[in-house]
């Protein structure tokens, strides 16, 4: 494996991807709330979806109810 793939795998196995995913979700929600252009809203949706993928695949040791609360809050922000 190359250095790049080792870095990416280490981020997911070590749980660091959780923080990247949370930052992406926060960025996407802020873009959706504070910008009114359609292109920005599309970018915000993609950013939030990428953040959700990072959080779920990060292997962070949380209970299922914590992930449920996280996804419920994102759903509320998504459909606002």
């Amino acid at each position: 494996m190359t250095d790049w793939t080792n870095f990416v795998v280490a981020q997911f196995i070590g749980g660091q991807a959780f923080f990247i995913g949370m930052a992406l979700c926060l960025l996407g929600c802020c873009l959706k709330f504070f910008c009114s252009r359609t292109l920005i809203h599309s970018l915000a949706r993609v950013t939030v979806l990428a953040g959700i993928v990072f959080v779920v695949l990060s292997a962070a040791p949380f209970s299922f109810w914590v992930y449920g609360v996280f996804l419920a809050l994102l759903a509320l922000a998504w459909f606002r």
Side-chain angles (χ1 to χ4, degrees), residues 15-74:
Q16 296 299 320
F18 173 78
F19 298 108
I20 296 168
M22 290 301 290
L24 286 174
C25 289
L26 181 64
L27 175 67
C29 288
C30 288
L31 284 174
K32 190 165 171 46
F33 285 136
F34 296 120
C35 297
S36 61
R37 293 184 25 209
T38 306
L39 180 64
I40 300 295
H41 277 241
S42 299
L43 180 65
R45 286 178 187 247
V46 170
T47 305
V48 169
L49 285 175
I52 290 171
V53 169
F54 273 51
V55 167
V56 170
L57 294 178
S58 68
F62 291 120
S63 299
F64 288 119
W65 68 269
V66 174
Y67 285 118
V69 169
F70 167 71
L71 292 175
L73 290 174
L74 281 177

Side-chain angles (χ1 to χ4, degrees), residues 6-19 54 57-61:
N6 285 338
F7 175 74
V8 171
V9 169
Q11 293 301 308
F12 279 100
I13 289 175
Q16 296 299 320
F18 173 78
F19 298 108
F54 273 51
L57 294 178
S58 68

